Amino acid sequence: MPAGIRDKVAILGMGCSKFGERWDCDAADLIVEAYAEGMRDAGIETKQIDAAWLATAIEEQHVGKSAVPLATALRLPFIPVTRVENFCASGTEAFRGAVYAVASGAADIALALGVEKLKDTGYGGLPQRGRGTLNNMIWSNLSAPGLFAQLASAYRAKHGITRDDLKRAMAHISVKSHDNAARNAKAHLRNKITMDAVLNAPMVAEPLGLFDCCGVSDGAACAIVTSPEIARALGKTDIVSVKALQLSVSNGLEAQHNSWDGSYFHTTRIAARRAYQEAGVEKPREEISLVDVHDCFSVTELVTLEDLHLSPEGGAIKDVLDGFYDADGTIPCQIDGGLKCFGHPIGASGLRMIYEMYLQILGRAGERQRQTPPRLGMTHNLGGFPHQNVCSIAIVGRYGN
Amino acid sequence: MAFGILAAGAYIPRLRLQRKAIVEANRWFAPGLASLGKGERAICNWDEDAITMAVEAGRDALVGFDRRAVEMLYFASTTFPFLDRLNGGVVAEALSMPESMSALDVASSQRAATSALSVALRAGGCSLVVAAEHRRARAASASELTSGDGAAAIVVGGGAPIARLLGAAQSTVDFVDHFRTAESEYDYQWEERWIRDAGYMFIVPPIIARCLEAAKVTAADVAHFCMPAMVPRVVNSVAKAAGIADGAVADPMQTACGDTGAAHALLMLVAALEKAKPGERILVVGFGQGADALLFERTAQALPSAGRLGCAGHLARRREETSYAKFLAFKDLIEIERGMRSETDKLTPLSALWRNRDTVTGMIGGKCTICGTIQFPATRICANPNCNAVDSQEPHPFAGKIGRVNSFTADRLTYSPDPPACYGMIQFEEGGRWMMDFTDVEAETLAVGLRMRMMFRVKDFDPQRGFRRYFWKAAPAGAADGRS
């Protein structure tokens, strides 16, 4: 395994717009909102940025193709700007581009910005869209909830779990995320909900009800990264650095080969193992302080906690119901509300997760701040569907710790 | 080697609309329809049409039969989805029949199927004659009640026939009892009493007489008289006029299925072949701008017992439907609010369809010749992570394989003409898997491990261009399945 990027790159500043139904904003407005906060935090000027990465996934709904929309919105001075797209993991991909640029020495300071303006669709949920020429002919008539819901049937069959027990654990996950988002002014959905409301909600895709699904939101988030040395030179004393950044992409095995049973994320298990190795984490359940996973659906969060090796296989239901992942639990999960309630502007989500870890590690998370500032924060950003996806994992922590 | 009918198959869609539902919904306007309110009629699922039904009937007929032996395909219908695209070409490709085969669409008359069968019998060689009808009638019309959707298929050739042709006769006259033009969606029909007296009674008995004379068989020797008729009880009158015993008049399946138009004479023939004892004579008459009469003798050769549903099996594979509104929506007789999610562009690039026809229309995947891994679709590099051999795959057909549900959902978000959209991962018993749409299934019956068979169906309608694309879907396999 390569040496990796552990502690080679520091986060100089981060920003995040308010997520939600931003009827008054174009994507460019959201870009500027996140960027302004990030640059204030970084304490630098635009001309100091050497290169930038833009993440958007459903660009046909808002900015269109290429990196030009970012360069134009921010009037970037004709620097290299690249647009990346990797399903819902696009935000972490932009971060990876910027981090690798700094780690390689190609850039001193780099920007990663993710944005999505989804609420010009005209209806709820993600836009119905084509999947590619041949895929349109042979893929099922799918939606994201319909495919993620299938984790439930396969997980139940594998572990012999009743629908009611699974639904209760899934409901606990959603209730917890709503609780957490109530303490987050930037979150999209800040209302508290009850177990009964979740369990009796209208069905979206069996067994996922309305409250098992994350919000569809407008928003943007960004990170400005540099080397720890430059961060110090710019006056930063309290530095958060990147400990690991891993990506695993399905190669058709899950979709075509019968070795995958449909109850877990093959990519997540691989990316998590590599990330722990890169970060030097040996016992994740003991060493990871805080986690933000890609909770597009409650059941995704549930099985992901096992795939990240935080809960034992088949043990996530017990951990969830025991409050292990609650805000006051051992490893809070989605302390900012997660995709479920902070919202899911696709291109921004990966960066939003890192933003929360960054705030928590620096003790700047306001009323949702963990009492003991976390040592290692992990984010898990997934794109695609259980049977073919891209999984991006980042671990960040205090530099030199 | 004797020549004759070698095999027979049928397909009747699983949904059976209760006629009561039609009568009740239209009572305010047409109370007279109540007299037609008994029983049920077969209706296509939203994703079925004449082509998909023809494929199923063809598969049913071809159980245990070597498809490569078929030299000619005749596809009869008056409800072809395409006016200019060989409908039989789609059927042939979905059935993975040899490219060297010729194919003909036979249209424009209620007797299209009997005419096609008579030509096939005269031509010699091995032919598949398939007929299917996706009937369309105005709301509150009598034919909405009396018609049904369905298909039948007959294999003709040399071998061990289940029936031999004893004689045949035809006539062609421009008798217009009803018509439908390229511009009109529905039939326009003249008075029933005139159709009975000047049509059936005047035209059919002499042709039957000629047919029996050619076969040197007396009318009394006819044990099964199969003649669909749009006018009630006219068959009995024709039988009487022709000297055929009333007890020989075959059940027109009006109560259980409805009249399947151009397919119905063939469907009745298939039913008769299933019932007839060796040596019994079956007379089939197709009526429309003249008539065809074909007289067969059932041999002792048995129909395949395993894997074939036939007419009786398909009549038994049924689900009662009581929603008239759903029927109207499926037949596109009512404009329902389909929502913005239905607006997605469904363009099919024809060049890509052609390139991928084995995958899309034939559901042919690959088998790695290095490691043996069976996979769908076939790709340049083997999917087995321990192999990944390049260009190692030979064609492997999936359409006839049984799979099991590995995971599933019932999706109310994605647009479907019949929500919830049910789909899931199908794992094939011999290997291979695919995330597939399900059809002919109710969400509450889904379970991991459920056995599923592949069915050729409409995948998407493209209203912008009038095109429709087809692919295979998974449907619960009956106890009899192992069908190909």
Side-chain angles (χ1 to χ4, degrees):
Chain A
M1 176 144 173
I5 51 144
R6 182 178 171 187
D7 283 336
K8 289 179 181 164
V9 179
I11 299 175
L12 190 59
M14 290 199 78
C16 183
S17 77
K18 164 104 178 78
F19 282 14
E21 292 171 327
R22 302 290 305 269
W23 306 117
D24 56 333
C25 285
D26 283 326
D29 300 316
L30 300 166
I31 288 174
V32 172
E33 186 176 324
Y35 181 70
E37 182 192 345
M39 290 297 275
R40 270 196 311 277
D41 184 26
I44 58 164
E45 293 172 40
T46 295
K47 64 182 181 196
Q48 290 174 268
I49 295 172
D50 296 315
W53 275 259
L54 166 67
T56 60
I58 307 187
E59 85 290 344
E60 68 272 23
Q61 295 269 323
H62 49 102
V63 295
K65 293 196 184 303
S66 93
V68 169
L70 181 68
T72 305
L74 300 179
R75 304 296 179 193
L76 296 176
F78 291 87
I79 58 170
V81 189
T82 305
R83 178 187 158 228
V84 292
E85 183 276 311
N86 223 350
F87 288 150
C88 295
S90 301
T92 310
E93 284 292 72
F95 187 69
R96 200 162 66 97
V99 165
Y100 280 13
V102 167
S104 75
D108 283 342
I109 299 177
L111 166 71
L113 190 144
V115 65
E116 215 75 57
K117 172 69 198 173
L118 290 171
K119 296 308 297 181
D120 283 330
T121 308
Y123 50 87
L126 289 179
Q128 191 106 4
R129 56 201 185 278
R131 309 287 181 176
T133 299
L134 179 58
N135 296 340
N136 285 340
M137 295 186 213
I138 64 173
W139 278 21
S140 63
N141 174 20
L142 53 86
S143 74
L147 288 175
F148 281 89
Q150 296 185 38
L151 285 168
S153 57
Y155 187 89
R156 276 182 51 205
K158 183 180 188 176
H159 296 293
I161 290 160
T162 65
R163 187 178 181 278
D164 283 356
D165 286 347
L166 184 65
K167 282 284 281 182
R168 257 185 329 114
M170 284 158 51
H172 183 103
I173 283 171
S174 297
V175 169
K176 169 265 300 165
S177 292
H178 273 263
D179 266 357
N180 293 351
R183 293 186 291 276
N184 185 350
K186 285 184 175 178
H188 181 175
L189 304 168
R190 303 190 62 201
N191 57 317
K192 295 196 176 201
I193 56 169
T194 62
M195 289 287 282
D196 277 351
V198 180
L199 292 170
N200 297 318
M203 199 53 71
V204 174
E206 168 64 32
L208 302 179
L210 184 65
F211 289 107
D212 292 301
C213 307
C214 75
V216 168
S217 327
D218 303 327
C222 72
I224 298 117
V225 294
T226 188
S227 67
E229 296 73 29
I230 294 173
R232 273 216 196 87
L234 287 169
K236 299 279 176 186
T237 50
D238 211 5
I239 294 173
V240 173
S241 63
V242 181
K243 305 294 182 186
L245 203 41
Q246 287 294 334
L247 183 75
S248 173
V249 177
S250 293
N251 70 355
L253 178 125
E254 304 98 305
Q256 285 187 280
H257 195 256
N258 291 347
S259 53
W260 179 65
D261 67 18
S263 73
Y264 65 97
F265 291 91
H266 193 62
T267 52
T268 300
R269 292 184 175 190
I270 292 168
R273 245 178 261 123
R274 285 192 202 136
Y276 292 138
Q277 199 174 342
E278 188 172 26
V281 170
E282 282 167 7
K283 293 177 179 165
R285 193 174 164 101
E286 290 160 30
E287 296 178 55
I288 298 293
S289 332
L290 204 57
V291 63
D292 236 293
V293 302
H294 197 89
D295 58 330
C296 48
F297 303 98
S298 55
V299 70
T300 319
E301 179 169 333
L302 185 88
V303 308
T304 297
L305 294 168
E306 295 179 14
D307 297 335
L308 294 175
H309 314 291
L310 297 174
S311 284
E313 211 175 318
I317 287 183
K318 182 174 184 300
D319 279 345
V320 163
L321 294 174
D322 285 351
F324 186 84
Y325 297 109
D326 290 355
D328 58 359
T330 311
I331 307 181
C333 181
Q334 319 307 80
I335 198 163
D336 58 354
L339 301 176
K340 172 77 191 77
C341 298
F342 202 140
H344 186 22
I346 298 177
S349 284
L351 285 156
R352 183 273 303 162
M353 298 174 188
I354 298 168
Y355 174 73
E356 179 66 12
M357 298 298 126
Y358 173 78
L359 295 182
Q360 289 279 352
I361 290 165
L362 294 178
R364 286 163 41 184
E367 57 173 317
R368 62 183 188 281
Q369 178 64 48
R370 281 285 276 179
Q371 288 315 303
T372 337
R375 197 177 79 83
L376 288 178
M378 175 158 72
T379 66
H380 160 268
N381 189 195
L382 187 95
F385 314 116
H387 73 294
Q388 42 195 47
N389 61 79
V390 302
C391 173
S392 203
I393 289 178
I395 299 175
V396 295
R398 203 171 286 271
Y399 178 63
N401 201 336
Chain B
M1 199 166 63
F3 188 80
I5 295 177
L6 298 178
Y11 178 74
I12 297 162
R14 173 173 170 266
L15 290 179
R16 309 295 156 80
L17 180 63
Q18 301 306 297
R19 289 204 176 89
K20 252 191 316 205
I22 307 178
V23 167
E24 291 310 320
N26 292 300
R27 190 181 292 280
W28 65 277
F29 180 75
L33 294 177
S35 64
L36 301 171
K38 263 195 294 196
E40 56 193 29
R41 56 154 298 180
I43 62 170
C44 279
N45 204 338
W46 73 268
D47 57 358
E48 295 187 284
D49 63 14
I51 285 181
T52 67
M53 291 191 290
V55 170
E56 286 304 325
R59 292 171 79 190
D60 197 46
L62 291 165
V63 167
F65 199 88
D66 179 11
R67 292 176 190 195
R68 285 165 305 180
V70 181
E71 298 158 295
M72 183 80 196
L73 170 74
Y74 299 88
F75 181 9
S77 178
T78 72
T79 48
F80 286 123
F82 291 93
L83 286 178
D84 190 348
R85 174 191 181 184
L86 187 64
N87 295 277
V90 186
V91 174
E93 219 155 77
L95 292 173
S96 293
M97 300 187 83
E99 274 181 27
S100 58
M101 188 183 65
S102 45
L104 261 186
D105 286 349
V106 185
S108 308
S109 173
Q110 293 297 298
R111 65 159 161 148
T114 48
S115 297
L117 180 58
S118 116
V119 170
L121 285 160
R122 256 183 290 175
C126 184
S127 307
L128 173 66
V129 180
V130 57
E133 202 84 287
H134 183 202
R135 301 207 57 186
R136 193 166 164 77
R138 277 200 181 82
S141 65
S143 88
E144 181 179 47
L145 281 148
T146 57
S147 60
D149 302 329
I154 299 280
V155 181
V156 165
I162 54 172
R164 288 188 305 119
L165 181 71
L166 301 181
Q170 296 82 28
S171 83
T172 298
V173 290
D174 188 26
F175 180 77
V176 191
D177 48 28
H178 74 280
F179 66 88
R180 185 165 16 110
T181 70
E183 289 78 32
S184 56
E185 280 191 69
Y186 307 100
D187 292 351
Y188 190 86
Q189 186 185 316
W190 213 252
E191 187 183 356
E192 280 191 0
R193 295 174 61 81
W194 173 72
I195 297 170
R196 182 191 63 197
D197 297 345
Y200 287 97
M201 293 305 291
F202 182 75
I203 294 169
V204 178
I207 299 168
I208 292 178
R210 272 201 279 133
C211 175
L212 294 173
E213 195 184 315
K216 298 185 174 52
V217 169
T218 62
D221 287 336
V222 173
H224 305 271
F225 176 38
C226 307
M227 184 181 87
M230 57 197 293
V231 181
R233 287 174 305 281
V234 73
V235 195
N236 303 74
S237 307
V238 168
K240 195 174 174 191
I244 298 167
D246 202 51
V249 173
D251 172 16
M253 295 178 269
Q254 188 51 228
T255 324
C257 169
D259 186 303
T260 63
H264 210 58
L266 237 54
L267 189 63
M268 290 179 73
L269 169 60
V270 173
L273 288 167
E274 289 168 7
K275 277 180 215 146
K277 298 185 187 72
E280 283 185 344
R281 275 75 188 257
I282 303 167
L283 177 65
V284 186
V285 171
F287 180 82
Q289 292 76 56
D292 300 306
L294 296 159
L295 184 71
F296 297 98
E297 183 178 87
R298 183 73 171 90
T299 69
Q301 181 68 33
L303 285 155
S305 55
R308 180 188 172 278
L309 281 190
C311 186
H314 276 105
L315 283 173
R317 178 187 179 266
R318 63 187 270 283
R319 178 174 171 85
E320 288 184 17
E321 179 57 63
T322 55
S323 169
Y324 180 61
K326 185 171 169 180
F327 164 75
L328 292 179
F330 281 10
K331 291 271 184 197
D332 211 12
L333 288 166
I334 188 172
E335 202 165 331
I336 62 168
E337 176 55 63
R338 296 183 187 274
M340 291 171 81
R341 284 183 179 277
S342 69
E343 293 167 9
T344 320
D345 193 346
K346 297 292 196 321
L347 171 71
T348 302
L350 298 177
S351 44
L353 173 61
W354 167 247
R355 205 161 53 235
N356 292 288
R357 62 192 184 280
D358 287 351
T359 301
V360 178
T361 314
M363 207 186 175
I364 293 168
K367 181 178 182 177
C368 179
T369 52
I370 306 294
C371 72
T373 298
I374 291 168
Q375 48 208 291
F376 184 87
T379 47
R380 296 288 299 275
I381 302 180
C382 175
N384 176 1
N386 302 315
C387 175
N388 292 159
V390 181
D391 292 337
S392 62
Q393 293 172 47
E394 60 186 27
H396 181 86
F398 275 87
K401 307 298 182 197
I402 295 291
R404 283 182 190 273
V405 173
N406 191 67
S407 62
F408 65 89
T409 191
D411 189 338
R412 294 197 170 273
L413 183 69
T414 194
Y415 166 71
S416 166
D418 186 21
C422 295
Y423 54 94
M425 183 66 87
I426 295 296
Q427 192 154 309
F428 293 90
E429 289 173 349
E430 298 176 18
R433 56 163 52 181
W434 197 239
M435 183 67 72
M436 299 190 73
D437 286 326
F438 298 168
T439 192
D440 286 357
V441 72
E442 284 68 47
E444 58 276 11
T445 64
L446 290 173
V448 169
L450 196 64
R451 287 177 82 243
M452 307 289 268
R453 82 185 281 262
M454 302 300 105
M455 295 185 91
F456 190 68
R457 293 296 174 102
V458 173
K459 168 105 176 80
D460 288 302
F461 290 98
D462 176 0
Q464 217 176 323
R465 301 160 194 96
F467 195 71
R468 59 186 64 184
R469 58 182 169 217
Y470 299 91
F471 186 50
W472 295 81
K473 299 183 185 179
D481 273 306
R483 285 184 290 168
S484 58

